[in-house]
Amino acid sequence: MIDAEGVDTSDVSWSDDYGAYTTRFDDDGDGYSPSVAVAETLETALDGWDEPLFDYVDPDALDSLVGDPASSVTVRFDVEAATVTVRGDGRVFVRI
């Protein structure tokens, strides 16, 4: 589904296994970068969240840290009432 701002939120889903909203990123040029996947997931999890991601984390730094498919880095930070976890294996989790 494309929202009013043109963000595709169809790949975000709730996972009972993880107790979180989840999606995946693929920063090899064919998919979303980690920062776009985080913004997309936050918008769904926080019901229309529209604040700039850079108020909470540097999007370029996030993409550099976890955007490499060989990365084993995990980045965790809070956005409002949510905890965001971004893993180097391409998974994004937002727990509220």
Side-chain angles (χ1 to χ4, degrees), residues 58-81:
D58 180 329
D60 293 330
L62 179 65
D63 292 346
S64 293
L65 285 169
V66 296
D68 182 342
S71 176
S72 61
V73 172
T74 297
V75 176
R76 184 172 292 128
F77 58 96
D78 293 327
V79 173
E80 296 181 8

Side-chain angles (χ1 to χ4, degrees), residues 24-34 63 66-70 88-90:
R24 296 188 65 84
F25 63 85
D26 181 11
D27 201 21
D28 66 1
D30 295 334
Y32 292 124
S33 67
D63 292 346
V66 296
D68 182 342
D89 66 1

